[in-house]
Amino acid sequence: MSIVKFEPETRRVQLTGGATLIVSLPKEWTRQVDLKPGDEVLVIPQPDLSLLVVPKKMVKAPLLESSISVNQDLSNIDHVERVLLAHYLSGYDIFKLNFDITTLDLKRQVKDIVRRKLTGVEIIEEGRNSLVIQNLVNVPDINIRDILVKLVKTVVGMIDDLRTPIENGDKAIATDIVERDNEVDKFYWLLNRQLKRILISKHALSLSGLQDPRSIIEYAIINKSLERAADHAVKIAREVLNLGDKYVLLMPQEIRQRFSELLSKDSMIMNNVGKAMIEKPDVKEINYIIDAVKYEIRSAVDSLDTNLTNYNISTQAAASARLILDSIYRIAEYASDVGEALLNLSIEQISL
């Protein structure tokens, strides 16, 4: 997606018809956008009192296509995934992947990546050694806050459900939590794509509902923080799965109960962050959330970590317990980061 750069030009405002002010458009710009006499343009007032002029025929932008050659230089599925996601985030709508004889076996895995990680993206054509993938989601249809609210609810659900395997080692629920991370990834990549799109297009910004372009940074922080919190929920679930049937035997009930209590506090903090996202952020409430993480959760995690030596547990159990404790704290910390970003958003709105 190339961005044409133009030098600023000065235009004199003229009076016509006795009351109407007019200004001419730069010739090179009209040529680049193929604007002809009689064409219509949208004139969109901006929060800073400037005007955005968009040719009406450009409101529905043409689909951008990319071609990806999956050859011997790109024979690792992790590398293919990164390249595909990079094209998706850059705003491409159609992805044409061509495989050679050395990478043909990766086609099935690419289809799985599309299914698990990309919202609104479908395989529209498949050949023996090719895939054509298309994004079917229209950027103006995406509401940033709606995505974030869904993301928060998903993360809160993961944290809440963690308490069951933490208390009794339920492997089915732990596995389900790990799989739910795919839903978080879908929201995360979708919002990343949206934020990048509105970063380079004032028209997309005006359609997004955001009043202040500075808020893009804060929403990116919120998005990443929620994705990382989900990763730590998965990390805890995987630890329970890794220990398997030995988990309950290795971890005394009192420790498991303390883990569960801390996760309950994590859930409450993250849920409060979600409420602050829906409602007008309350500075007092956000500061309370941040303080709870900084003092209450940190102190409780440190205390249990220090007291692990008082329990008759193996070295393996102690290592697992510390890993779980670290992730419990990280979840709360990321919720705190979301709170700080929301606080910044509220201040930016006031300063408009």
Side-chain angles (χ1 to χ4, degrees):
M1 187 184 299
S2 60
I3 302 175
V4 180
K5 294 183 179 180
F6 297 102
E7 292 297 322
E9 296 185 27
T10 301
R11 289 284 187 273
R12 188 179 298 279
V13 178
Q14 300 181 37
L15 180 66
T16 182
T20 302
L21 298 177
I22 63 171
V23 64
S24 62
L25 297 173
K27 182 178 180 181
E28 180 60 23
W29 177 80
T30 59
R31 188 181 69 80
Q32 285 285 344
V33 298
D34 193 29
L35 196 64
K36 300 288 194 304
D39 288 348
E40 294 183 319
V41 297
L42 298 176
V43 181
I44 308 170
Q46 300 297 292
D48 61 359
L49 300 183
S50 63
L51 292 175
L52 174 65
V53 179
V54 181
K56 199 168 183 180
K57 60 186 175 183
M58 290 181 62
V59 170
K60 188 174 181 180
L63 298 178
L64 297 174
E65 294 187 11
S66 69
S67 294
I68 304 173
S69 295
V70 187
N71 50 35
Q72 198 166 11
D73 294 333
L74 204 61
S75 58
N76 183 302
I77 189 59
D78 290 335
H79 297 173
V80 176
E81 179 178 338
R82 289 175 198 146
V83 170
L84 180 60
L85 289 174
H87 281 76
Y88 174 77
L89 290 176
S90 295
Y92 287 98
D93 300 291
I94 299 175
F95 318 90
K96 296 181 177 180
L97 290 87
N98 295 294
F99 303 81
D100 64 22
I101 191 66
T102 65
T103 61
L104 197 55
D105 60 331
L106 297 180
K107 191 169 71 165
R108 180 185 58 79
Q109 292 171 274
V110 170
K111 290 163 67 176
D112 185 56
I113 290 169
V114 171
R115 179 183 60 81
R116 289 187 295 107
K117 296 208 169 186
L118 302 181
T119 298
V121 176
E122 300 290 341
I123 296 166
I124 60 171
E125 187 179 323
E126 180 176 359
R128 187 183 66 82
N129 61 347
S130 65
L131 282 176
V132 180
I133 305 165
Q134 182 173 339
N135 172 58
L136 303 176
V137 175
N138 188 22
V139 168
D141 294 337
I142 301 171
N143 185 290
I144 289 176
R145 282 185 176 268
D146 286 349
I147 297 174
L148 287 174
V149 168
K150 291 175 183 177
L151 193 47
V152 170
K153 288 181 178 178
T154 303
V155 174
V156 169
M158 292 169 72
I159 298 168
D160 279 337
D161 290 345
L162 260 180
R163 295 179 62 193
T164 300
I166 277 291
E167 289 175 6
N168 62 24
D170 190 310
K171 288 185 283 187
I173 295 179
T175 300
D176 181 66
I177 290 168
V178 172
E179 292 173 351
R180 254 184 280 171
D181 192 43
N182 290 327
E183 296 304 311
V184 173
D185 285 344
K186 282 185 176 182
F187 289 133
Y188 171 72
W189 292 114
L190 175 63
L191 188 53
N192 256 357
R193 176 184 166 94
Q194 167 75 335
L195 292 174
K196 282 200 170 189
R197 180 77 181 94
I198 64 180
L199 189 63
I200 63 171
S201 169
K202 281 195 172 184
H203 182 226
L205 176 64
S206 65
L207 293 174
S208 72
L210 298 186
Q211 298 299 313
D212 188 344
R214 292 175 299 174
S215 63
I216 296 172
I217 298 173
E218 306 303 338
Y219 282 119
I221 291 171
I222 292 171
N223 193 32
K224 184 61 178 177
S225 297
L226 291 172
E227 189 265 344
R228 292 297 295 133
D231 283 347
H232 279 282
V234 169
K235 197 172 182 180
I236 295 171
R238 287 192 188 280
E239 192 60 23
V240 174
L241 290 171
N242 289 340
L243 292 177
D245 294 333
K246 297 187 297 180
Y247 172 75
V248 173
L249 297 175
L250 287 172
M251 295 288 183
Q253 183 179 2
E254 186 178 344
I255 292 180
R256 287 182 275 126
Q257 185 59 38
R258 293 286 299 278
F259 287 161
S260 180
E261 291 168 1
L262 286 170
L263 283 169
S264 180
K265 290 180 180 178
D266 274 359
S267 175
M268 180 188 69
I269 290 170
M270 189 66 78
N271 199 44
N272 287 341
V273 161
K275 289 179 181 177
M277 201 176 293
I278 297 172
E279 304 162 2
K280 185 177 180 180
D282 182 270
V283 173
K284 182 178 179 181
E285 177 64 21
I286 292 174
N287 276 320
Y288 171 78
I289 291 170
I290 296 170
D291 286 345
V293 175
K294 190 175 180 180
Y295 302 110
E296 185 180 347
I297 303 294
R298 177 77 270 179
S299 176
V301 167
D302 287 345
S303 176
L304 183 51
D305 188 303
T306 302
N307 290 329
L308 284 176
T309 54
N310 298 332
Y311 295 93
N312 184 24
I313 59 176
S314 66
T315 303
Q316 181 187 12
S320 292
R322 288 193 168 92
L323 186 149
I324 291 171
L325 280 172
D326 178 69
S327 286
I328 287 173
Y329 178 68
R330 296 297 176 193
I331 290 171
E333 198 170 41
Y334 284 119
S336 173
D337 290 344
V338 173
E340 289 184 2
L342 289 173
L343 187 60
N344 294 339
L345 282 171
S346 68
I347 299 302
E348 288 169 3
Q349 290 167 6
I350 291 171
S351 64
L352 277 177

